[in-house]
């Protein structure tokens, strides 16, 4: 069968990475003989004309889309337009939102034929086999579907016990060089599952409370492969990388023993790190740990079942500072019991710690305890407009803090950061000396903005090339002129940014039918 997988767009401000769920699923399907293509609309501009082109060229039997809550409407629109172009295509959706909102999604969206709930690999294989053989879907565990106007929810599928049966993600199916151009990192996982039960997170319900681990050798094999792909950073995106200290140290020891030198970061909990572990992680190249702190108020931490203390937060940050590792604290405003006083407490607590921190706004996602029991927790949900569930806009409020006040607080916080950056940028424009941290920030931002313009305006695709016997240097110079004509970037800036992209292998000059052209380079190795 031919399967087309869609990755719906979401804002560049969210720093997207290659669609890990899709490339993981695709790798498993490829091993079982399914033809798979991925349309990644984060780094490939979407158009109805492109839909027609893909359907004509690839002619998929099944089209599937993934989504988180904030882009589920975008995914539904994509499926609608693919279905309109070819009503005979069977459409599926997967991901955390539709897993826990299957009834509503199927009830309101005729363009969706089936939903794969939870872990998708084995379920999708069985689903495709049933579609191909025209057999009943009733025997496929882990799906919800519509038949003759009725919606059915088959029993849940048991999670994969030994995840080492899963191959490396099929990263070659997405335009990796565009992510590299944007300075975004690569993602990998070393485990699935989370033993904790925070009321604002559906991770445990999605992937289980038992942590299932990839073998240490397999983890480092993948890490070593990614370290050679030219990305600035690798993100270990386990729900909790530090859930098992002995195993973490074994992974770090293997990285060190192989002599792999590449920066990486991970998510951790403040109650699962020790100085010994942090020293080993730093030695293995870990530069930053992100801690979910959520609140500086202990009563709120207890209510949301975070199972940490503010003392543990303080200690974890201190240990990171002692070993020379950066840490970032992530806070959520609008949790149960939030009031003007607890907000002040959280701001005072965060600013009193010697590390970076940021504030998001509570989004009661489908599948979370806080959504299912919001009245008991004193939370009023204001809207089911999923586009607003981006953790940057208040979609709920507490008895003591209105949504308008929550928005005001976070907007003021973000505006203060932007003002600080603007002042530092003014110093930069006046050629004042800046710290390496800020110089790196501006360089990364400028590279992102330039590459974003190349991608969203399709400047590489629109460049007509040079006819005749032009050489590489002449073609690049002409490409600089083309970009200068179509953007507001200066010629010097364009040249500098293009030099970076060519040196990274993101772009290439190649012979065309009539002369020379500039193209996005591709990763050709299936293991990439």
């Amino acid at each position: 069968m031919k399967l087309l997988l869609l990755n719906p767009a979401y804002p560049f401000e969210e720093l997207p990475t290659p669609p890990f769920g899709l490339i993981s699923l695709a790798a498993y399907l490829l091993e079982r003989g399914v033809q798979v293509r991925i349309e990644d609309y984060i780094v490939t501009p979407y158009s109805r004309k492109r839909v027609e082109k893909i359907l004509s060229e690839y002619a998929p039997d099944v089209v599937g889309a993934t989504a988180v809550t904030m882009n589920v409407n975008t995914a539904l629109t994509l499926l609608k337009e693919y279905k309109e172009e070819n009503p005979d295509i069977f459409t599926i959706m997967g991901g955390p939102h539709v897993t826990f909102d299957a009834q509503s999604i199927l009830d309101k969206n005729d363009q969706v034929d089936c939903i794969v709930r939870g872990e998708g690999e084995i379920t999708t294989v069985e689903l495709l086999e049933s579609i191909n053989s025209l057999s009943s879907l009733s025997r496929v565990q882990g799906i919800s579907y519509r038949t003759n106007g009725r919606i059915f929810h088959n029993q849940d599928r048991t999670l994969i016990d030994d995840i080492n049966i899963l191959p490396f993600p099929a990263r070659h199916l997405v335009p990796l060089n565009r992510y590299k151009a944007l300075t975004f990192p690569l993602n990998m996982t070393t485990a699935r599952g989370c033993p904790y039960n925070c009321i604002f997170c559906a991770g445990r319900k999605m992937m289980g409370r038992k942590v299932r681990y990839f073998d240490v050798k397999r983890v480092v094999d993948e890490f070593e492969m990614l370290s050679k792909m030219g990305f600035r950073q690798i993100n270990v995106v386990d729900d909790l990388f530090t859930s098992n200290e002995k195993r973490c140290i074994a992974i770090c020891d293997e990285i060190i023993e192989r002599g792999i030198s590449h920066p990486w970061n991970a998510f951790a909990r403040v109650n699962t790190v020790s100085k010994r572990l942090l020293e080993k992680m730093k030695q293995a190249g870990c530069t930053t740990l992100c801690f979910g702190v959520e609140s500086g108020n202990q009563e709120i931490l207890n209510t949301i079942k975070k199972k940490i203390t503010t003392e543990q937060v303080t200690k974890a940050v201190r240990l990171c500072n002692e070993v020379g590792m950066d840490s970032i604290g992530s806070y959520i405003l609008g949790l149960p019991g939030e009031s003007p006083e607890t907000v002040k407490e959280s701001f005072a607590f965060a600013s009193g710690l010697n590390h970076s921190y940021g504030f998001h706004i509570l989004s009661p996602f489908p599948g979370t305890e806080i959504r299912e029991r919001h009245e008991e927790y004193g939370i009023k949900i204001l809207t089911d407009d999923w586009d607003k569930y981006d953790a940057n806009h208040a979609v709920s409020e507490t008895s003591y803090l209105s949504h308008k006040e929550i928005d005001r607080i976070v907007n003021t916080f973000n505006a203060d950061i932007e003002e600080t950056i603007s002042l530092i940028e003014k110093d930069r424009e006046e050629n004042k000396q800046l710290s390496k941290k800020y110089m790196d920030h501006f360089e990364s931002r400028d590279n992102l903005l330039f590459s974003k313009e190349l991608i969203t305006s399709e400047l590489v695709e629109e460049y007509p090339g040079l006819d005749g016997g032009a050489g590489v240097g002449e073609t690049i110079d002409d490409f600089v002129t083309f970009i200068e004509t179509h953007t507001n970037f200066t010629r010097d800036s364009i040249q500098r940014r293009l030099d970076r992209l060519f040196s990274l292998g993101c772009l290439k000059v190649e012979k065309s039918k009539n002369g020379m052209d500039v193209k996005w380079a591709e990763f050709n190795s299936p293991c990439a």
Side-chain angles (χ1 to χ4, degrees):
M1 296 193 73
K2 286 185 177 181
L3 172 65
L4 176 66
L5 296 174
L6 311 178
N7 188 36
Y10 62 92
F12 278 85
E13 290 74 19
E14 299 294 331
L15 303 180
T17 56
F20 195 80
L22 288 187
I23 58 180
S24 298
L25 172 63
Y28 188 78
L29 297 176
L30 287 171
E31 279 196 343
R32 279 142 189 85
V34 180
Q35 294 185 60
V36 185
R37 176 168 176 167
I38 295 177
E39 275 286 280
D40 187 352
Y41 291 120
I42 289 177
V43 291
T44 304
Y46 171 80
S47 68
R48 189 64 175 252
K49 185 176 180 180
R50 185 171 180 89
V51 172
E52 297 171 5
K53 179 174 180 288
I54 296 302
L55 290 176
S56 175
E57 290 179 355
Y58 184 59
D61 303 292
V62 178
V63 175
T66 186
V68 293
T69 299
M70 71 174 177
N71 67 352
V72 69
N73 286 334
T74 303
L76 289 166
T77 298
L78 288 176
L79 288 182
K80 183 172 185 272
E81 300 204 353
Y82 272 91
K83 195 84 162 177
E84 286 174 351
E85 289 296 325
N86 184 354
D88 294 330
I89 283 179
F90 191 90
T91 56
I92 60 177
M93 285 193 78
H97 181 99
V98 297
T99 291
F100 303 111
D101 195 29
Q103 178 69 33
S104 176
I105 293 292
L106 288 170
D107 188 49
K108 298 176 182 177
N109 299 278
D110 292 342
Q111 71 271 35
V112 182
D113 295 318
C114 182
I115 285 172
V116 173
R117 305 193 312 268
E119 202 168 49
E121 287 88 355
I122 295 175
T123 299
T124 304
V125 168
E126 292 186 7
L127 173 61
L128 294 178
E129 289 173 347
S130 294
I131 295 170
N132 193 41
S133 63
L134 302 179
S135 59
S136 172
L137 301 183
S138 62
R139 298 194 184 105
V140 181
Q141 296 179 352
I143 66 169
S144 299
Y145 61 100
R146 187 191 306 100
T147 296
N148 298 324
R150 294 182 59 194
I151 295 172
F152 298 89
H153 304 283
N154 294 356
Q155 71 179 75
D156 292 340
R157 179 173 297 280
T158 303
L159 295 170
I160 299 170
D161 186 51
D162 180 11
I163 59 174
N164 289 285
I165 67 169
L166 302 175
F168 290 160
R171 295 181 173 89
H172 66 291
L173 293 181
V174 295
L176 284 183
N177 273 322
R178 302 188 187 198
Y179 284 98
K180 187 194 293 185
L182 290 161
T183 73
F184 295 154
L186 276 176
N187 282 358
M188 67 172 290
T189 61
T190 79
R192 288 182 177 181
C194 180
Y196 292 90
N197 196 29
C198 303
I199 67 172
F200 55 84
C201 177
R204 174 170 163 166
K205 289 175 69 175
M206 188 76 178
M207 287 295 173
R209 63 175 299 178
K210 177 186 176 183
V211 183
R212 296 162 291 149
Y213 298 106
F214 286 115
D215 292 340
V216 169
K217 181 181 181 303
R218 182 199 188 282
V219 168
V220 183
D221 284 346
E222 183 175 0
F223 182 88
E224 185 170 22
M225 180 187 72
L226 299 186
S227 72
K228 298 174 181 178
M229 292 170 61
F231 282 74
R232 64 179 179 85
Q233 181 176 287
I234 297 170
N235 285 353
V236 178
V237 293
D238 301 0
D239 287 327
L240 177 56
F241 175 68
T242 55
S243 62
N244 183 316
E245 180 171 307
K246 182 179 178 181
R247 176 176 176 272
C248 284
I249 289 175
I251 290 172
C252 293
D253 281 338
E254 183 73 11
I255 292 173
I256 296 164
E257 185 177 333
R258 295 193 196 183
I260 307 169
S261 178
H262 198 282
W264 56 283
N265 61 27
F267 295 103
R269 287 176 61 93
V270 296
N271 61 333
T272 61
V273 295
S274 65
K275 188 169 185 179
R276 174 173 174 255
L277 174 60
L278 294 175
E279 287 175 338
K280 186 66 72 172
M281 292 174 69
K282 179 175 173 57
Q283 188 182 355
C286 184
T287 61
T288 309
L289 283 183
C290 182
F291 294 118
V293 180
E294 323 312 353
S295 176
N297 177 273
Q298 189 61 54
E299 186 175 347
I300 289 179
L301 291 176
N302 295 341
T303 299
I304 64 175
K305 302 179 182 179
K306 187 68 184 181
K307 295 187 177 179
I308 63 172
T309 66
T310 54
E311 290 79 11
Q312 289 172 327
V313 176
T314 302
K315 180 182 178 182
V317 172
R318 174 176 56 80
L319 290 176
C320 286
N321 290 334
E322 286 179 4
V323 304
M325 183 185 294
D326 291 334
S327 63
I328 299 173
S330 175
Y331 293 78
I332 300 174
L333 292 186
L335 291 166
E338 194 80 271
S339 66
E341 291 71 30
T342 63
V343 170
K344 291 178 183 177
E345 194 173 349
S346 288
F347 270 88
F349 181 71
S351 62
L353 299 173
N354 185 22
H355 77 154
S356 301
Y357 59 92
F359 285 86
H360 289 94
I361 299 173
L362 174 68
S363 288
F365 297 119
T368 60
E369 182 179 338
I370 201 166
R371 184 177 187 84
E372 293 168 353
R373 300 174 54 196
H374 63 94
E375 292 181 352
E376 297 175 48
Y377 283 113
I379 295 291
K380 181 180 179 181
I381 296 176
L382 304 171
T383 179
D384 286 343
D385 180 353
W386 306 126
D387 292 343
K388 296 179 179 179
Y389 278 63
D390 60 0
N392 295 315
H393 301 87
V395 293
S396 63
E397 61 187 16
T398 74
S399 304
Y400 316 103
L401 199 65
S402 72
H403 68 283
K404 291 182 179 179
E405 183 64 7
I406 294 171
D407 280 333
R408 186 196 67 77
I409 292 168
V410 172
N411 289 339
T412 299
F413 175 78
N414 291 332
D416 288 345
I417 294 175
E418 291 174 6
E419 183 178 359
T420 300
I421 294 295
S422 296
L423 292 173
I424 297 171
E425 186 164 27
K426 185 178 180 181
D427 290 342
R428 179 198 187 200
E429 293 170 352
E430 295 174 355
N431 294 318
K432 294 182 181 180
Q433 188 171 359
L434 301 181
S435 68
K436 184 178 183 303
K437 174 184 176 182
Y438 285 120
M439 290 300 293
D440 289 346
H441 165 81
F442 288 120
E443 183 66 16
S444 179
R445 185 205 60 181
D446 291 347
N447 286 332
L448 187 155
L449 292 175
F450 177 78
S451 297
K452 178 183 176 183
E453 185 69 23
L454 285 188
I455 292 169
T456 57
S457 298
E458 298 187 276
L459 293 175
V460 176
E461 292 80 2
E462 294 295 326
Y463 174 58
L466 272 182
D467 296 337
V472 172
E474 187 180 355
T475 304
I476 293 176
D477 190 59
D478 186 65
F479 186 49
V480 171
T481 301
F482 176 80
I483 297 174
E484 186 180 18
T485 303
H486 291 81
T487 71
N488 294 320
F489 294 103
T490 65
R491 190 173 187 86
D492 286 346
S493 175
I494 295 168
Q495 187 68 64
R496 191 165 63 254
R497 306 300 165 203
L498 286 180
D499 287 346
R500 167 183 170 267
L501 296 181
F502 280 110
S503 66
L504 286 173
C506 298
L507 293 175
K508 63 180 179 179
V509 177
E510 65 179 16
K511 289 184 178 180
S512 62
K513 181 183 292 187
N514 299 316
M516 299 290 281
D517 204 351
V518 176
K519 298 290 186 183
W520 287 104
E522 296 180 358
F523 281 88
N524 296 315
S525 171
C527 69

